Amino acid sequence: MSLQVYGISNCGTCKKAFSWLELNGVEYDFINTKDQPPSKAMIQKWVQELGFKPMRNTSGQSYRALGSEKDDWTEAEWVEAFAKDAMLLKRPLFVKDGKAVLVGFRDKDEVIRQKLGI
């Protein structure tokens, strides 16, 4: 199994996910989206797999700074915004064997296990 976790190292939710993965013996590669922002093509693929709404980091400053016009944005406009500012992406984002399978980390253990296939 190949698992990548996209996020930022000082994110509390990412830290919680890292601890959970380690506690459960799950190996993963961490990709810091501040240092290595995902490409527009990657983001487009993730949006196709998860939808753009779950991928929005609605609690971040970047999101709040967008203004009310964001409420009417299309999927393509969100992909463009995510590509310009990775801080708009909800964290962490899990990619297993090349497919985005989970974004965020608030589900129950059994849901997380099912989505990650562990």
Side-chain angles (χ1 to χ4, degrees), residues 32-72:
N32 188 323
T33 55
K34 272 189 171 180
D35 298 336
Q36 296 176 272
S39 70
K40 186 175 175 181
M42 288 175 74
I43 292 167
Q44 180 65 54
K45 184 175 183 301
W46 296 344
V47 166
Q48 290 171 352
E49 294 162 348
L50 298 171
F52 72 87
K53 286 186 180 182
M55 291 179 55
R56 298 176 304 170
N57 177 14
T58 58
S59 61
Q61 290 177 352
S62 290
Y63 181 84
R64 288 191 298 270
L66 293 175
S68 61
E69 65 274 2
K70 71 183 176 299
D71 298 335
D72 299 319

Side-chain angles (χ1 to χ4, degrees), residues 21 29-30 37 40 51 54-55 65 79 90 94 107-108 112:
L21 291 166
D29 293 315
F30 170 62
K40 186 175 175 181
M55 291 179 55
V79 168
K90 183 177 260 186
F94 299 83
D107 289 323
K108 294 181 180 179
I112 294 168

